[in-house]
Structures are given as structure tokens and as C-alpha cells.
Amino acid sequence: MGGAEHRASATAPMKPQRAVALLLLGAAAALEDGLARTPPMGWRSWNCYGGDVDDARIRAAVDALAAKRTSPWTGARRSLADLGFARAGVDDGWQSCGEGYEGSFHAADGTPLVNASRFPDLAALVRYGHGKGLLMGWYDDNCICLDSYKLRANASWAALAYAADVEQVYAAGFDGVKIDNCGDDDGSGFAARVRDIKGRPTPVLVENSNQGSGLGPPRGLPTDADWCDFHLFRTGGDIRPDFDGVVARLQRVLPFTNSTPPISRPGCWAYPDMLEVGNFGWALGGPRNDAAFVESRTHFGLWCVVSSPLILGFDVADDDKLEAVWPIVSNEEAIAVNQAWAGFPGTLVVDDAAYQVWAKPLGGATAALVFNRGAATLDVSVPLAALGLPETATARDVWTHTNATVSVAWTATLPPHDSAFAVFSS
Ligand code: GLA
């Protein structure tokens, strides 16, 4: 359809069997408490509410995650939680900034002070989420009050604060905590909190929100499959609802997805950030349009094919928005690709200025997503050999749920930012 013809040249085809064997070695060094055997899924407040978050908004999100809707794919009644999005996370904005010791939100005994007009009773909020079948997440070391800078000037007070932060998570009954890095540059605050968490009988899901900085212990990026003190780690800076920015964030997973054994693995997932699915085209209050739908779908597929944690970031309590992206987020075949593990998280296999192909071995099958990076419609042709496949394969189209036989090359005509997503078997 008038698009430029692009023919892919393959980068190295994958060797899934070898990756499976090596993964078993690597996985032993991740946090082996069983909490993140597959990429965590859920929702978190930051991408839609920023710091303007409160008990009512979190409860409304919990309700939305638990509410059943009809699947356009199967006709079954499913909630987002049924589909796997079963974690609801509070992000920044819960603190009583400046009300504590030395102008912080931590008291002199270390207690973190909650803004009670926003969150009157954390344990009750957690009970509410649990009552709806969800797991609940908290957030520490924040970027709005920036207590880290004050804490690190007073080691004994800081130790009390780190312990009290963890105690707050456990006292309220949270199931996970995102630990940001807003001033804890040497990682001592992170290390103290994680040590405390690991010493307790009940594990919680730990997100290392280090924006992709640093290497190795105590809180940098994992450099190999021998160390990982968290279940998921941010590979870069904050995502925005802007397609090129989303694509740029994605590239940051590469060092963790293309090594052998892979660094992104069960128990330790590379995370290019929360999803902006549902936020394109809405950011300025505009109506949803087809381009926004297409961008959301490509973004979702990319996060699926690299085994990223899938943390929704749109206002799930807004029924119009949820309805608009429901065909995307309820696509169980896409989610199945994300959650599958056959030794390899999925990585970039064809890199072209106009498009990229990302692929993930599924064990007996291969998932692949090709997307158009540019502003013009594009005809792409991806040799099956670039996916490590024989000359003929059956392609299950993840977006349309139809089957086709493909010979020699996988072809697609892609409008701007659109994608084709298929699971190939031979
Ligand atoms: C950092 C994190 C974001 C969000 C904000 C909150 O920028 O990377 O995900 O948590 O802090 O202030």
C-alpha cells in the first residue's frame, strides 16, 4: 500500500535450548522466594495520577481491577485481575512532606508520616484490596519530599527510618514495595531495607526503581545472572505517553535480554517502566483515536514479547478509557507470550531504522513482533530465518487470533507505529 519495502537482515538467530539450560543456573541467584516466577502484572498510580493519589482513588482502581467485563476474544467474563493484573500499587504522594524531623516526613524515631487526609488507614486499604482478591503494593524513597538527602546526613536516624519504612509495609500488610531512588545514590538505604525484608519470614515483591543507573550491588543494575536482590528492576528513566519515548525506553532492556544466560529472568525481571497503554492521545485530555489505539497496542505487545512486568498506568476506573483499550489488555494470547518461560526473555532480532523485530522463544514455538517506527505506512518482510525458523511455519496472529501459513518471509503492511504480532510454530 504505497509503503516503502524493507527486507530484514537477521542478527544472530536464537538458540533456545542452550538458554534453557543456562537459565537454570542463573535463576538460582535471583530472589528465589517464588513471588516473581513470571513477570509481575498489575496497576500503579503514577502514570495517571502523579502525586495526586489517595485512598479513594486506590479503592476505585481496586474495584476496576476486580470488575468483570466480557472478553471480545472469548466471550468469557474476566476482570483485569483474572487476566493477571492482580497487583494494585500506590506510588508517590502518600507522605506528609515536611511534617517530620528536620523538615522531612520521618519522625525522630524514624516513623514515616502518612498524609492522613489522603490515606487515613493503610491497613484498611490493604484489607479492602485483599478482600477483592488483589495484592497490594507500597512505595518508598520518594522523589516528591526527597527525604533521602536529609537521612543520609544522619546515619543513626537513617537506620531508624529504613527500619520503620519496612515495618510500615509489613504492619499494613502490603504484598510488595517499589523502592525508588531519589537521593539514595550509594544504595545504602535500599540495601538496608532489602536486608530487613529478606530477614523476615514473609517475602514481599521488591521493585528496584533505580531508573537504570549504577551497576551491581547494593542497588545497581544486575551485570550477570549471579546477583539480584529484587524481583524487578527499572532499566531507564521515566516513561511518558509518547511513542518515540516508549520505544527509547524499550531499547534499555537490551543488555539484560540479549546475554547468555539472560540477566532478565524468573525472579529478576528487566523493566522498562510502567505501561502508558491507554494514555496516548489522552494525555492532553483529547479523545481516543485510532492512532492512540495502535500505539497502545504496539507498546503492550512489545512489553509482552520482552517479558517485561506489565504494570498498567492508565486510569482503570475511567470506564471509557478501560473500554477503549480492553481489546488490548484482555488479549490473553499476548499475555500468554509475556508469561511464558522457555529460557529466554525475548530480545531484538532485527534492527532497522524504519522498524524493529523483537522475538521470544516459547519452547516449540517463537513469538515475534515487528513494528513500524516511522510516520509513513511501511511494507516489511522478515525472513523466517531471522527468527531461527525453517522455510515454512504456521503463524498465529496474536492481534486477530487467526492462523496463516508463512513461507520464507513474514510480510506485513504496517501503518505508522502499528505492529504485527505472531506466534510461529513449524
Ligand atoms: C521517579 C520514578 C517514577 C515515580 C516518581 C514519583 O521518577 O521513576 O516511576 O515513582 O519518581 O515521584
Side-chain angles (χ1 to χ4, degrees):
M1 293 189 211
E5 173 79 17
H6 280 260
R7 193 160 284 279
S9 59
T11 57
M14 291 168 286
K15 298 189 184 70
Q17 300 83 351
R18 184 159 175 245
V20 171
L22 288 168
L23 167 87
L24 297 174
L25 298 174
L31 270 188
E32 279 307 304
D33 50 26
L35 287 188
R37 300 305 301 159
T38 62
M41 294 173 63
W43 171 90
R44 194 175 278 279
S45 55
W46 182 253
N47 283 1
C48 56
Y49 294 138
D52 192 11
V53 70
D54 60 19
D55 183 275
R57 284 190 151 165
I58 301 300
R59 284 179 193 242
V62 163
D63 291 346
L65 291 166
K68 301 213 187 268
R69 307 172 79 87
T70 302
S71 164
W73 305 107
T74 63
R77 301 278 293 164
R78 291 268 183 282
S79 67
L80 284 165
D82 294 336
L83 291 159
F85 300 98
R87 291 181 178 272
V90 179
D91 207 284
D92 210 346
W94 58 260
Q95 310 81 354
S96 232
C97 287
E99 298 295 317
Y101 183 59
E102 301 284 10
S104 75
F105 70 89
H106 287 88
D109 69 358
T111 305
L113 304 177
V114 179
N115 181 337
S117 64
R118 288 182 180 268
F119 289 97
D121 186 343
L122 289 182
L125 174 61
V126 171
R127 277 196 304 277
Y128 185 78
H130 287 170
K132 298 262 177 173
L134 297 180
L135 298 169
M136 302 298 289
W138 195 232
Y139 170 84
D140 272 335
D141 199 7
N142 85 324
C143 293
I144 294 180
C145 322
L146 291 170
D147 271 20
S148 274
Y149 291 98
K150 301 181 179 92
L151 292 169
R152 70 187 192 192
N154 182 338
S156 55
W157 176 47
L160 292 172
Y162 302 146
D165 284 348
V166 173
E167 186 51 34
Q168 181 185 50
V169 169
Y170 278 87
F174 283 107
D175 307 284
V177 60
K178 166 178 174 178
I179 307 180
D180 220 325
N181 180 12
C182 305
D184 181 28
D185 298 326
D186 69 1
S188 52
F190 181 84
R193 292 180 182 100
V194 168
R195 222 174 14 252
D196 189 342
I197 289 169
K198 286 169 84 176
R200 294 182 181 237
T202 312
V204 294
L205 190 87
V206 175
E207 173 183 340
N208 179 4
S209 181
N210 201 23
Q211 291 93 38
S213 66
L215 292 176
R219 75 159 312 168
L221 296 162
T223 52
D224 52 37
D226 291 335
W227 168 79
C228 190
D229 261 353
F230 30 81
H231 299 95
L232 60 162
F233 57 97
R234 279 274 298 278
T235 50
D238 289 10
I239 201 164
R240 309 287 310 160
D242 152 66
F243 190 77
D244 290 341
V246 164
V247 169
R249 295 271 76 71
L250 175 71
Q251 313 304 308
R252 299 291 295 266
V253 304
L254 276 173
F256 314 102
T257 58
N258 66 9
S259 63
T260 303
I263 295 170
S264 182
R265 59 195 189 274
C268 182
W269 301 102
Y271 179 36
D273 208 348
M274 298 165 280
L275 290 157
E276 292 287 10
V277 168
N279 290 337
F280 300 103
W282 295 95
L284 302 175
R288 184 188 81 73
N289 56 45
D290 287 347
F293 180 85
V294 157
E295 290 180 341
S296 282
R297 190 173 68 169
T298 297
H299 173 23
F300 190 70
L302 285 166
W303 264 230
C304 286
V305 80
V306 297
S307 306
S308 167
L310 298 177
I311 307 299
L312 299 169
F314 70 96
D315 184 357
V316 285
D318 179 329
D319 214 50
D320 289 344
K321 287 189 186 180
L322 180 51
E323 187 61 29
V325 295
W326 182 240
I328 300 172
V329 299
S330 69
N331 189 329
E332 294 178 54
E333 294 191 18
I335 294 169
V337 168
N338 175 261
Q339 296 285 296
W341 185 256
F344 203 79
T347 196
L348 180 65
V349 292
V350 179
D351 192 9
D352 184 284
Y355 68 97
Q356 288 186 327
V357 184
W358 294 71
K360 174 178 178 180
L362 301 176
T366 300
L369 186 147
V370 55
F371 77 99
N372 178 356
R373 303 179 78 150
T377 294
L378 189 71
D379 292 329
V380 292
S381 177
V382 181
L384 291 183
L387 303 172
L389 293 166
E391 284 216 336
T392 303
T394 300
R396 171 71 172 175
D397 187 320
V398 176
W399 292 155
T400 62
H401 294 192
T402 54
N403 294 331
T405 301
V406 176
S407 291
V408 184
W410 179 36
T411 58
T413 299
L414 300 174
H417 300 171
D418 205 355
S419 52
F421 190 7
V423 174
F424 293 91
S425 47
S426 46

